[in-house]
Amino acid sequence: MTPDPVSPTDAERVAEAVATGTGLEALARTLTDPPLLAVVEAARRRLVPRLSDEATRLLRAVGAFPGSSAQDLRDVTLLDGPAFAAASRQLLDGGLVESTRFDVPDCWSRTARGAAVARSL
């Protein structure tokens, strides 16, 4: 006879959600323990930075067109030079995108953190 699998505790569920960056919203709705809720809220704030509308648009475009150049992304997002520069700086500084891949300059892709943030938008 195989024993029943043990259901994860709330703390284990929080640890899994924080580690993967997924399920934090749903988890916050089901928890009642204030310290665990505080951990979930802190993780949500850390994973979902306050992005400008332009940065959000650029993050989505990078996800939709990975490997695109900055000029291609400007064309897709319709952001002008200063708006693109500010949005890209916000994403680069936040570790949400990279502008090189495999030593190819100006090749934009999302980081793992950027993908987690994009899923939460």
Side-chain angles (χ1 to χ4, degrees), residues 55-120:
T56 299
R57 191 174 356 160
L58 180 56
L59 181 62
R60 288 182 174 146
V62 171
F65 305 100
S68 295
S69 69
Q71 183 59 53
D72 292 339
L73 292 168
R74 270 193 290 276
D75 294 343
V76 168
T77 59
L78 302 176
L79 294 172
D80 64 16
F84 184 86
S88 62
R89 181 56 37 212
Q90 188 177 13
L91 297 179
L92 288 164
D93 288 350
L96 304 178
V97 298
E98 297 174 322
S99 65
T100 60
R101 187 174 60 201
F102 306 118
D103 295 328
V104 177
D106 199 25
C107 183
W108 290 66
S109 60
R110 287 191 309 204
T111 63
R113 183 166 188 250
V117 168
R119 280 192 305 270
S120 70

Side-chain angles (χ1 to χ4, degrees), residues 4-100:
D4 290 334
V6 177
S7 297
T9 65
D10 284 347
E12 291 169 328
R13 290 175 39 223
V14 167
E16 176 71 19
V18 169
T20 62
T22 60
L24 292 169
E25 296 288 332
L27 191 55
R29 290 189 295 270
T30 64
L31 293 174
T32 57
D33 186 19
L36 290 178
L37 282 167
V39 169
V40 169
E41 185 56 35
R44 285 171 54 198
R45 280 193 310 272
R46 185 166 183 255
L47 284 173
V48 184
R50 301 281 184 236
L51 297 178
S52 67
D53 291 341
E54 294 83 3
T56 299
R57 191 174 356 160
L58 180 56
L59 181 62
R60 288 182 174 146
V62 171
F65 305 100
S68 295
S69 69
Q71 183 59 53
D72 292 339
L73 292 168
R74 270 193 290 276
D75 294 343
V76 168
T77 59
L78 302 176
L79 294 172
D80 64 16
F84 184 86
S88 62
R89 181 56 37 212
Q90 188 177 13
L91 297 179
L92 288 164
D93 288 350
L96 304 178
V97 298
E98 297 174 322
S99 65
T100 60

